[in-house]
mmCIF file of all heavy atoms in Angstrom:
data_model
loop_
_atom_site.group_PDB
_atom_site.id
_atom_site.type_symbol
_atom_site.label_atom_id
_atom_site.label_comp_id
_atom_site.label_asym_id
_atom_site.label_seq_id
_atom_site.Cartn_x
_atom_site.Cartn_y
_atom_site.Cartn_z
ATOM 1 N N PHE A 25 -31.417 -0.994 -1.874
ATOM 2 C CA PHE A 25 -31.678 0.431 -2.095
ATOM 3 C C PHE A 25 -32.161 0.703 -3.517
ATOM 4 O O PHE A 25 -33.097 1.480 -3.722
ATOM 5 C CB PHE A 25 -30.416 1.258 -1.796
ATOM 6 C CG PHE A 25 -30.592 2.715 -2.076
ATOM 7 C CD1 PHE A 25 -31.281 3.528 -1.184
ATOM 8 C CD2 PHE A 25 -30.107 3.288 -3.245
ATOM 9 C CE1 PHE A 25 -31.479 4.874 -1.438
ATOM 10 C CE2 PHE A 25 -30.293 4.626 -3.513
ATOM 11 C CZ PHE A 25 -30.977 5.424 -2.600
ATOM 12 N N ASP A 27 -33.939 -0.939 -5.452
ATOM 13 C CA ASP A 27 -35.310 -1.391 -5.720
ATOM 14 C C ASP A 27 -36.370 -0.531 -5.028
ATOM 15 O O ASP A 27 -37.565 -0.798 -5.175
ATOM 16 C CB ASP A 27 -35.479 -2.849 -5.286
ATOM 17 C CG ASP A 27 -34.695 -3.811 -6.163
ATOM 18 O OD1 ASP A 27 -34.193 -3.382 -7.230
ATOM 19 O OD2 ASP A 27 -34.567 -4.987 -5.773
ATOM 20 N N VAL A 37 -45.477 7.319 2.915
ATOM 21 C CA VAL A 37 -45.507 8.509 3.768
ATOM 22 C C VAL A 37 -46.822 9.271 3.634
ATOM 23 O O VAL A 37 -47.182 10.053 4.500
ATOM 24 C CB VAL A 37 -44.292 9.415 3.424
ATOM 25 C CG1 VAL A 37 -44.328 10.726 4.173
ATOM 26 C CG2 VAL A 37 -42.994 8.689 3.715
ATOM 27 N N GLY A 38 -47.531 9.042 2.527
ATOM 28 C CA GLY A 38 -48.780 9.753 2.303
ATOM 29 C C GLY A 38 -48.587 11.074 1.575
ATOM 30 O O GLY A 38 -49.345 12.028 1.786
ATOM 31 N N GLU A 41 -45.345 11.423 -5.288
ATOM 32 C CA GLU A 41 -43.993 11.108 -5.770
ATOM 33 C C GLU A 41 -43.230 12.410 -6.037
ATOM 34 O O GLU A 41 -42.034 12.506 -5.767
ATOM 35 C CB GLU A 41 -44.102 10.267 -7.042
ATOM 36 C CG GLU A 41 -42.796 9.813 -7.608
ATOM 37 C CD GLU A 41 -42.975 8.947 -8.845
ATOM 38 O OE1 GLU A 41 -44.133 8.685 -9.269
ATOM 39 O OE2 GLU A 41 -41.944 8.529 -9.393
ATOM 40 N N THR A 50 -32.342 13.589 -6.628
ATOM 41 C CA THR A 50 -31.675 12.473 -7.308
ATOM 42 C C THR A 50 -31.545 11.305 -6.347
ATOM 43 O O THR A 50 -31.687 11.458 -5.130
ATOM 44 C CB THR A 50 -30.261 12.867 -7.788
ATOM 45 O OG1 THR A 50 -29.435 13.094 -6.629
ATOM 46 C CG2 THR A 50 -30.275 14.122 -8.666
ATOM 47 N N SER A 64 -27.352 8.221 12.257
ATOM 48 C CA SER A 64 -27.772 8.883 13.502
ATOM 49 C C SER A 64 -28.735 8.047 14.339
ATOM 50 O O SER A 64 -28.766 8.187 15.553
ATOM 51 C CB SER A 64 -28.388 10.250 13.203
ATOM 52 O OG SER A 64 -29.591 10.105 12.479
ATOM 53 N N PRO A 70 -21.278 7.170 20.669
ATOM 54 C CA PRO A 70 -21.396 7.819 21.973
ATOM 55 C C PRO A 70 -20.358 8.926 22.126
ATOM 56 O O PRO A 70 -19.350 8.930 21.424
ATOM 57 C CB PRO A 70 -21.146 6.687 22.966
ATOM 58 C CG PRO A 70 -20.566 5.569 22.205
ATOM 59 C CD PRO A 70 -20.872 5.784 20.754
ATOM 60 N N VAL A 73 -14.097 11.826 24.713
ATOM 61 C CA VAL A 73 -13.199 12.944 25.003
ATOM 62 C C VAL A 73 -11.750 12.516 24.822
ATOM 63 O O VAL A 73 -10.904 13.317 24.490
ATOM 64 C CB VAL A 73 -13.442 13.474 26.441
ATOM 65 C CG1 VAL A 73 -12.481 14.594 26.779
ATOM 66 C CG2 VAL A 73 -14.877 13.933 26.603
ATOM 67 N N ALA A 84 -17.517 -0.635 19.437
ATOM 68 C CA ALA A 84 -18.957 -0.895 19.593
ATOM 69 C C ALA A 84 -19.689 -0.653 18.269
ATOM 70 O O ALA A 84 -20.620 -1.387 17.919
ATOM 71 C CB ALA A 84 -19.536 -0.007 20.693
ATOM 72 N N SER A 91 -24.146 -6.364 13.202
ATOM 73 C CA SER A 91 -25.522 -6.724 13.554
ATOM 74 C C SER A 91 -26.531 -6.289 12.496
ATOM 75 O O SER A 91 -27.588 -6.904 12.360
ATOM 76 C CB SER A 91 -25.914 -6.094 14.895
ATOM 77 O OG SER A 91 -25.109 -6.606 15.915
ATOM 78 N N THR A 114 -18.528 17.279 9.100
ATOM 79 C CA THR A 114 -19.592 16.657 9.878
ATOM 80 C C THR A 114 -19.354 16.858 11.372
ATOM 81 O O THR A 114 -18.250 17.187 11.800
ATOM 82 C CB THR A 114 -19.657 15.145 9.604
ATOM 83 O OG1 THR A 114 -18.447 14.554 10.073
ATOM 84 C CG2 THR A 114 -19.859 14.851 8.133
ATOM 85 N N LEU A 124 -8.762 16.119 19.633
ATOM 86 C CA LEU A 124 -7.331 16.261 19.392
ATOM 87 C C LEU A 124 -6.812 17.595 19.917
ATOM 88 O O LEU A 124 -5.743 17.660 20.515
ATOM 89 C CB LEU A 124 -7.024 16.104 17.903
ATOM 90 C CG LEU A 124 -7.289 14.708 17.337
ATOM 91 C CD1 LEU A 124 -7.253 14.735 15.818
ATOM 92 C CD2 LEU A 124 -6.299 13.703 17.893
ATOM 93 N N ASN A 127 -6.681 17.335 23.772
ATOM 94 C CA ASN A 127 -5.661 16.419 24.288
ATOM 95 C C ASN A 127 -4.255 16.713 23.785
ATOM 96 O O ASN A 127 -3.284 16.306 24.408
ATOM 97 C CB ASN A 127 -6.043 14.975 23.951
ATOM 98 C CG ASN A 127 -7.278 14.532 24.706
ATOM 99 O OD1 ASN A 127 -7.268 14.448 25.913
ATOM 100 N ND2 ASN A 127 -8.354 14.281 23.984
ATOM 101 N N PRO A 129 -2.848 20.110 22.397
ATOM 102 C CA PRO A 129 -2.963 21.509 21.959
ATOM 103 C C PRO A 129 -1.769 22.008 21.144
ATOM 104 O O PRO A 129 -1.892 22.996 20.430
ATOM 105 C CB PRO A 129 -3.110 22.288 23.269
ATOM 106 C CG PRO A 129 -2.597 21.377 24.334
ATOM 107 C CD PRO A 129 -2.785 19.979 23.849
ATOM 108 N N VAL A 131 -0.419 20.578 18.591
ATOM 109 C CA VAL A 131 -0.512 20.163 17.189
ATOM 110 C C VAL A 131 -1.223 21.255 16.393
ATOM 111 O O VAL A 131 -2.262 21.772 16.813
ATOM 112 C CB VAL A 131 -1.270 18.827 17.071
ATOM 113 C CG1 VAL A 131 -1.468 18.439 15.620
ATOM 114 C CG2 VAL A 131 -0.535 17.748 17.826
ATOM 115 N N ASN A 132 -0.662 21.595 15.232
ATOM 116 C CA ASN A 132 -1.270 22.660 14.421
ATOM 117 C C ASN A 132 -2.597 22.193 13.814
ATOM 118 O O ASN A 132 -2.872 20.995 13.718
ATOM 119 C CB ASN A 132 -0.293 23.166 13.346
ATOM 120 C CG ASN A 132 -0.007 22.135 12.287
ATOM 121 O OD1 ASN A 132 -0.916 21.547 11.703
ATOM 122 N ND2 ASN A 132 1.271 21.911 12.010
ATOM 123 N N ARG A 134 -3.838 22.196 10.784
ATOM 124 C CA ARG A 134 -3.781 21.390 9.565
ATOM 125 C C ARG A 134 -3.576 19.911 9.908
ATOM 126 O O ARG A 134 -4.269 19.037 9.394
ATOM 127 C CB ARG A 134 -2.657 21.872 8.651
ATOM 128 C CG ARG A 134 -2.523 21.084 7.365
ATOM 129 C CD ARG A 134 -1.296 21.518 6.612
ATOM 130 N NE ARG A 134 -0.128 21.283 7.448
ATOM 131 C CZ ARG A 134 0.821 20.403 7.164
ATOM 132 N NH1 ARG A 134 0.771 19.710 6.070
ATOM 133 N NH2 ARG A 134 1.842 20.236 7.966
ATOM 134 N N LEU A 143 -8.912 9.379 11.196
ATOM 135 C CA LEU A 143 -9.629 8.644 12.238
ATOM 136 C C LEU A 143 -11.090 8.435 11.864
ATOM 137 O O LEU A 143 -11.663 7.373 12.111
ATOM 138 C CB LEU A 143 -9.521 9.374 13.579
ATOM 139 C CG LEU A 143 -8.118 9.459 14.185
ATOM 140 C CD1 LEU A 143 -8.170 10.217 15.502
ATOM 141 C CD2 LEU A 143 -7.491 8.091 14.362
ATOM 142 N N GLN A 150 -17.617 2.588 5.697
ATOM 143 C CA GLN A 150 -16.873 2.320 4.469
ATOM 144 C C GLN A 150 -15.644 1.443 4.771
ATOM 145 O O GLN A 150 -15.380 0.476 4.068
ATOM 146 C CB GLN A 150 -16.461 3.637 3.818
ATOM 147 C CG GLN A 150 -15.894 3.475 2.432
ATOM 148 C CD GLN A 150 -15.609 4.812 1.777
ATOM 149 O OE1 GLN A 150 -15.443 5.826 2.452
ATOM 150 N NE2 GLN A 150 -15.548 4.816 0.462
ATOM 151 N N VAL A 169 -7.598 -4.115 13.710
ATOM 152 C CA VAL A 169 -6.908 -3.385 12.637
ATOM 153 C C VAL A 169 -7.070 -1.884 12.859
ATOM 154 O O VAL A 169 -6.114 -1.109 12.730
ATOM 155 C CB VAL A 169 -7.454 -3.786 11.246
ATOM 156 C CG1 VAL A 169 -6.910 -2.880 10.156
ATOM 157 C CG2 VAL A 169 -7.131 -5.237 10.951
ATOM 158 N N VAL A 177 -1.321 6.250 13.059
ATOM 159 C CA VAL A 177 -1.663 7.631 12.670
ATOM 160 C C VAL A 177 -1.230 8.600 13.765
ATOM 161 O O VAL A 177 -0.600 9.627 13.492
ATOM 162 C CB VAL A 177 -3.174 7.773 12.380
ATOM 163 C CG1 VAL A 177 -3.593 9.230 12.284
ATOM 164 C CG2 VAL A 177 -3.534 7.035 11.098
ATOM 165 N N SER A 193 -0.528 2.211 22.523
ATOM 166 C CA SER A 193 0.146 0.965 22.162
ATOM 167 C C SER A 193 -0.437 -0.225 22.914
ATOM 168 O O SER A 193 -0.508 -1.332 22.393
ATOM 169 C CB SER A 193 1.634 1.060 22.451
ATOM 170 O OG SER A 193 2.211 2.067 21.670
ATOM 171 N N ARG A 195 -3.422 -0.798 23.604
ATOM 172 C CA ARG A 195 -4.660 -1.233 22.979
ATOM 173 C C ARG A 195 -4.423 -1.919 21.649
ATOM 174 O O ARG A 195 -5.231 -2.731 21.224
ATOM 175 C CB ARG A 195 -5.569 -0.040 22.767
ATOM 176 C CG ARG A 195 -5.989 0.623 24.055
ATOM 177 C CD ARG A 195 -6.872 1.785 23.761
ATOM 178 N NE ARG A 195 -8.058 1.328 23.074
ATOM 179 C CZ ARG A 195 -9.196 0.974 23.659
ATOM 180 N NH1 ARG A 195 -9.284 1.034 24.952
ATOM 181 N NH2 ARG A 195 -10.220 0.595 22.956
#
Side-chain angles (χ1 to χ4, degrees):
F25 177 78
D27 291 349
V37 175
E41 183 178 0
T50 67
S64 66
V73 178
S91 297
T114 65
L124 294 167
N127 292 296
V131 176
N132 68 51
R134 180 187 60 114
L143 294 180
Q150 190 175 22
V169 171
V177 167
S193 297
R195 297 180 61 92

